Amino acid sequence: MFYRNGSGALTLAYVACGRLNAFFEPHMNSWDSSAGVLLIREAGGWTNNTLENDGLVKGALVMAAADGLAEPMKKLILGDETSS
């Protein structure tokens, strides 16, 4: 199911607490995503490395998923390229 609430930061928090299974945004600034990424990692979920390739300053692709959904999400979003 596709869900959009207008706030990527809030949606990342929803993944962290289990309200949503996954999140994808093709570009998000670090000040909008870093707290949510931390919440997800501390809750045992998975996120890609949003700080690589100067993501702290320039922003980055953001993917996040509940435990066990990282590989299917990588395949869906990145195709055969599963590095992150």
Side-chain angles (χ1 to χ4, degrees):
M1 177 173 66
F2 181 78
Y3 175 82
R4 190 92 169 151
N5 70 2
S7 172
L10 181 59
T11 307
L12 287 168
Y14 282 179
V15 173
C17 75
R19 289 184 185 176
L20 295 173
N21 291 322
F23 173 80
F24 166 73
E25 184 72 39
H27 181 270
M28 200 171 179
N29 291 311
S30 61
W31 50 86
D32 292 325
S33 64
S34 294
V37 165
L38 178 62
L39 286 170
I40 292 165
R41 290 180 182 174
E42 290 296 315
W46 170 84
T47 66
N48 66 314
N49 183 356
T50 59
L51 299 179
E52 70 183 354
N53 299 323
D54 208 17
L56 182 64
V57 175
K58 295 180 181 178
L61 171 138
V62 176
M63 294 188 301
D67 187 36
L69 295 177
E71 291 307 315
M73 183 167 192
K74 287 183 206 177
K75 287 180 183 175
L76 179 68
I77 303 298
L78 302 174
D80 291 333
E81 178 189 334
T82 58
S83 63
S84 278

